[in-house]
């Protein structure tokens, strides 16, 4: 009986020391802040399938809260531009309607990220890696200026890869598609006169961004995931 109790205490201690920290322990720093730059392009009635057609330049800032090795919350503000020409679409619009447009947009949003690998340049005994691919999604708002300016909610869907250049410095790249809740981003609002659902027949824009961030706000008790 005494040996059984000792065994229970041993495995309980092992769970507390090894298993529990693997699930709750986070990086040494709670937050990241940095900048991002890259390219943007549009997809919609005037561009159904071609990636990076008439691509523009984008840039902005981001803030990330690292919950633990695998999960993070991110906020961003990004400005960029996109353009398009309906003659590139391969479609024929009623009344020979063609549009050549250019948009400058601002994107403000927040996303939740999932790292496929436990991301940290320390705690290698827990299997952490200084790199990881990740997925993200969230919600955002888009304002696009120019002719018939718009303001719309968006849903970002993306994938990325991050790498610890050194302690407190992160380098990464990510690709995302932003689903808009408007069909007027390309100035071709319902060109065929057929109304559709909220999700169908809406415009998208895409961001491919390279970012560099700096960690700050040290965790006072990292062994307990504080």
């Amino acid at each position: 009986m005494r040996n059984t109790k000792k065994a229970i205490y041993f495995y309980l201690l092992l769970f507390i020391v090894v298993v529990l920290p693997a699930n709750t322990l986070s990086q040494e720093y709670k937050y990241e802040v940095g900048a991002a730059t890259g390219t943007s392009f549009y997809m919609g009635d005037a561009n159904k399938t071609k990636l990076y057609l008439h691509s523009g330049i984008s840039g902005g800032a981001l803030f990330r809260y690292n919950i633990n090795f695998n999960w993070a919350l991110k906020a961003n503000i990004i400005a960029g531009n996109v353009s398009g020409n309906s003659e590139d679409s391969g479609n024929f619009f009623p009344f020979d309607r063609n549009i050549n447009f250019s948009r400058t947009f601002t994107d403000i949003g927040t996303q939740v990220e999932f790292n496929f690998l436990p991301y940290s340049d320390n705690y290698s005994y827990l299997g952490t890696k200084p790199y990881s691919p990740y997925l993200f999604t969230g919600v955002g708002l888009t304002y696009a200026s120019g002719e018939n300016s718009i303001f719309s909610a968006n849903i970002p869907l993306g994938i990325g890869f991050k790498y610890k250049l050194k302690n407190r410095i992160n380098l990464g790249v990510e690709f995302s598609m932003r689903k808009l809740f408007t069909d007027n981003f390309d100035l071709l609002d319902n060109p065929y006169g057929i109304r559709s659902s909220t999700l169908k027949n809406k415009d998208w824009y895409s961001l491919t961004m390279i970012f560099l961030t700096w960690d700050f706000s040290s965790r006072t008790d990292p062994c307990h995931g504080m």
Side-chain angles (χ1 to χ4, degrees):
M1 184 68 176
R2 183 176 298 176
N3 290 337
T4 301
K5 287 184 178 179
K6 287 182 178 180
I8 292 174
Y9 291 146
F10 172 77
Y11 286 115
L12 181 60
L13 181 62
L14 184 66
F15 176 82
I16 294 173
V17 172
V18 177
V19 178
L20 188 59
N23 291 327
T24 62
L25 184 141
S26 299
Q27 301 174 36
E28 300 90 326
Y29 301 95
K30 297 178 184 180
Y31 309 116
E32 299 173 35
V33 64
T37 186
T39 186
S40 49
F41 67 90
Y42 137 90
M43 297 189 77
D45 293 310
N47 177 27
K48 293 291 188 181
T49 60
K50 298 177 182 178
L51 300 180
Y52 300 101
L53 182 65
H54 301 299
S55 57
I57 298 174
S58 297
L62 63 93
F63 173 86
R64 182 180 281 118
Y65 169 57
N66 295 300
I67 301 171
N68 55 37
F69 289 145
N70 294 101
W71 292 95
L73 294 175
K74 181 179 69 182
N76 67 256
I77 178 167
I78 296 171
N81 65 285
V82 296
S83 59
N85 190 328
S86 57
E87 292 183 354
D88 299 325
S89 67
N91 295 330
F92 294 95
F93 299 106
F95 310 109
D96 293 324
R97 183 184 182 190
N98 286 307
I99 290 291
N100 188 338
F101 75 95
S102 178
R103 287 280 200 191
T104 298
F105 67 88
T106 301
D107 178 302
I108 300 175
T110 183
Q111 299 102 45
V112 57
E113 297 179 347
F114 173 71
N115 301 321
F116 286 98
L117 301 174
Y119 182 63
S120 177
D121 58 350
N122 286 311
Y123 313 110
S124 58
Y125 63 93
L126 294 175
T128 59
K129 302 292 183 182
Y131 55 85
S132 180
Y134 62 94
L135 293 173
F136 64 91
T137 187
V139 293
L141 295 171
T142 300
Y143 171 75
S145 62
E147 184 181 352
N148 297 326
S149 61
I150 63 167
F151 186 77
S152 172
N154 73 65
I155 298 178
L157 302 168
I159 189 169
F161 183 86
K162 59 181 70 171
Y163 174 70
K164 285 276 187 184
L165 280 177
K166 56 186 300 186
N167 185 250
R168 302 183 73 173
I169 302 295
N170 307 275
L171 177 68
V173 60
E174 63 181 41
F175 173 85
S176 67
M177 298 294 297
R178 257 70 168 177
K179 174 70 173 179
L180 291 166
F181 289 82
T182 178
D183 194 36
N184 197 34
F185 193 60
D186 53 11
L187 308 181
L188 287 167
D189 186 12
N190 189 25
Y192 297 103
I194 302 173
R195 292 293 174 186
S196 59
S197 68
T198 302
L199 293 178
K200 289 187 64 178
N201 196 35
K202 304 302 179 185
D203 294 329
W204 299 69
Y205 62 94
S206 176
L207 298 170
T208 303
M209 308 294 288
I210 297 173
F211 64 82
L212 186 70
T213 62
W214 176 73
D215 298 337
F216 69 101
S217 187
S218 176
R219 296 178 188 272
T220 56
D221 190 7
C223 290
H224 292 85
M226 300 299 289

